[in-house]
Amino acid sequence: MPPAAFRGVFTQQEPIDEAAIAGAVAVLRTGRLHRYNVLPGEVSQAALLERDYAAWQGSRYCLACASGGQAMQLALRAYGIAPGAPVLTNAFTLAPVPGAIVAAGGRPVFVETTADLVIDLHDLARKAQESGARLLLISHMRGHLVDMDALVKVLDRHGVTLIEDCAHTMGASWNGRRSGSFGLAACFSAQTYKHVNAGEGGLLVSDDADLMARAIVSSGSYMLYDRHGAAPDLAAFAAARMESPNLSARMDNLRAAILRPQLATLDRNIERWNQRYAAVAAELARVQAIRMPARAAAERFVGSSIQFLVPGIAPDAARRFVAANAALGVELKWFGDPEPRGYTSTHLSWRFVDPQVLPATDRILSDLFDMRIPLTFSAGDCTQIGQIIAHCASELGAVAMAG
Ligand SMILES: *Cc1c(COP(=O)(O)O)cnc(C)c1O
């Protein structure tokens, strides 16, 4: 007997809460949506968000900007990449990550991925040496944190600077230290499918005054950089104010007002995501064919999505597995599909980057399945979803054996 089909919608997030709606309406009533449009003595919602997020994250400075992708581009440009210079990054990531490197004038050098879906530190050391790259834009893809202490050691040894893409690790930590506090700068996203929802939006944090001054000017501050909520002293802008190109990547007050109240509920939501993740994971743990990526005790992750491997699964079996789940209402993505679908494109389809040979990553991606966990699902829903995936995996096993 197949389990009953699931009826939930995998792209449906929770509604914006009433406090955020009230904040948005208050901004709309003023008409002052542009972040620099303030009355004398008024502090804009964008500036207040910067102050609030810097405090939440524990960073000295914060810049609210247009998207997570723009936060990465601003960070990379403010760091300063020579035209065509190599920049290390994960081979397993989302397209805006290599996109940001290319937009900032760099040349992505992809580092292999382990079966636990984190950057391979041996390959990182090798590629740092071979390429001469001085910068790593690490992507904590799908919220998996590598051993951050070991990573920092490898980077120190090779003289490589770290910038973190924390689109899936807002609220995560390693050994009690927040993801996004291990390098020169870190980038977060406020896009609907991440951990706070403004539709679009990005947050760049850093403790480096010079980098942040350049990023703020480049975000499109004109000479209004004194209207920021968590910016360096005005002296830090002496050179940046004339020298940093304006990329017009500001956040507006409406989105900032929607985001500010969400910081208060983030920790509670992380618990709710992790309960749902645990409910799916408990069902998958019963299936022999499924391997879950290992997670270290030091890692506090945010289970806003779940990943699992079916080691050795053939492409046609992977397609049948996805279709069988879909027929029962469960939306899985398969990263092994040579044809990019939805958000699952891989390095093989990023033709704006020089082709690179990544056999370990390719093998892992061909075994890898991914599923979103929206908070509109209950823990009971997640148990049902886990049972459906387990059922489809066992059918797959039966077919494989019969065949
Ligand atoms: C979503 C995402 C980004 C980019 O964020 P946007 O706000 O959509 O530009 C960057 N990296 C990863 C891993 C992401 O998932």
Side-chain angles (χ1 to χ4, degrees):
M1 266 284 283
F6 179 65
R7 305 266 169 225
V9 179
F10 282 77
T11 50
Q12 183 61 58
Q13 304 291 35
E14 291 193 293
I16 300 301
D17 67 41
E18 290 302 325
I21 291 172
V25 170
V27 168
L28 291 171
R29 292 221 157 94
T30 68
R32 294 189 296 278
L33 274 66
H34 192 277
R35 68 166 295 162
Y36 300 121
N37 184 195
V38 286
L39 298 176
E42 185 184 18
V43 180
S44 74
Q45 288 294 316
L48 290 170
L49 173 66
E50 290 164 342
R51 185 201 63 188
D52 294 353
Y53 195 73
W56 195 86
Q57 175 65 24
S59 62
R60 202 169 295 159
Y61 310 121
C62 176
L63 168 66
C65 57
S67 68
Q70 283 293 342
M72 289 188 286
Q73 290 190 38
L74 290 165
L76 294 172
R77 282 179 184 268
Y79 167 82
I81 296 170
V87 178
L88 298 156
T89 194
N90 312 55
F92 174 48
T93 185
L94 206 73
V97 178
I101 294 170
V102 169
R107 179 171 55 82
V109 175
F110 293 123
V111 180
E112 294 273 30
T113 307
T114 73
D116 296 324
L117 306 184
V118 296
I119 197 162
D120 180 332
L121 296 179
H122 297 291
D123 196 49
L124 175 65
R126 189 168 68 82
K127 297 232 165 99
Q129 196 134 38
E130 280 176 12
S131 70
R134 286 286 153 266
L135 182 67
L136 167 66
L137 176 58
I138 196 171
S139 180
H140 305 302
M141 179 64 170
R142 293 327 240 158
H144 296 268
L145 288 175
V146 70
D147 179 335
M148 293 301 293
D149 303 318
L151 172 73
V152 167
K153 279 198 196 117
V154 170
L155 296 181
D156 284 349
R157 206 177 309 129
H158 292 271
V160 173
T161 298
L162 176 65
I163 295 179
E164 295 178 76
D165 165 23
C166 300
H168 299 149
T169 56
M170 180 185 281
S173 57
W174 179 265
N175 269 331
R177 191 164 149 194
R178 279 233 197 273
S179 181
S181 68
F182 288 84
L184 175 65
C187 309
F188 298 85
S189 171
Q191 192 238 78
T192 295
Y193 298 111
K194 311 300 162 86
H195 300 168
V196 289
N197 178 8
E200 301 280 1
L203 294 156
L204 169 62
V205 301
S206 177
D207 290 343
D208 187 286
D210 293 329
L211 176 122
M212 211 58 185
R214 290 192 290 271
I216 288 171
V217 173
S218 279
S219 75
S221 66
Y222 307 102
M223 295 301 146
L224 303 171
Y225 45 80
D226 61 333
R227 297 187 196 171
H228 278 249
D233 291 342
L234 295 184
F237 291 86
R241 66 198 292 272
M242 306 279 206
E243 290 172 9
S244 298
N246 182 329
L247 308 176
S248 264
R250 294 171 299 271
M251 181 181 283
D252 58 88
N253 287 331
L254 184 57
R255 286 191 251 169
I258 292 170
L259 289 172
R260 287 183 61 218
Q262 294 184 43
L263 296 181
T265 51
L266 189 46
D267 276 318
R268 172 75 191 114
N269 281 345
I270 291 170
E271 278 175 36
R272 295 171 66 219
W273 264 308
N274 289 354
Q275 285 161 1
R276 286 155 179 77
Y277 181 101
V280 179
E283 298 305 320
L284 301 190
R286 304 171 199 273
V287 184
Q288 223 182 352
I290 289 179
R291 182 189 171 283
M292 298 295 292
R295 309 203 85 141
E299 181 190 23
R300 185 215 188 199
F301 65 94
V302 183
S304 54
S305 67
I306 191 165
Q307 293 69 43
F308 62 90
L309 302 161
V310 181
I313 191 168
D316 61 320
R319 284 191 192 92
R320 275 189 280 116
F321 179 55
V322 170
N325 278 282
L328 291 170
V330 172
E331 211 175 281
L332 295 183
K333 302 282 190 239
W334 174 46
F335 274 97
D337 198 331
E339 187 57 35
R341 286 176 215 279
Y343 55 82
T344 61
S345 73
T346 73
H347 73 98
L348 298 168
S349 42
W350 301 333
R351 296 195 192 144
F352 52 90
V353 177
D354 294 337
Q356 296 172 41
V357 179
L358 294 147
T361 299
D362 292 345
R363 200 169 340 103
I364 284 150
L365 294 181
S366 75
D367 293 344
L368 178 61
F369 298 87
D370 179 282
M371 191 187 82
R372 284 184 171 133
I373 306 182
L375 288 176
T376 48
F377 295 176
S378 66
D381 289 341
C382 290
T383 297
Q384 185 191 352
I385 290 165
Q387 287 166 351
I388 289 170
I389 298 170
H391 166 79
C392 295
S394 60
E395 293 281 285
L396 201 66
V399 170
M401 272 179 260

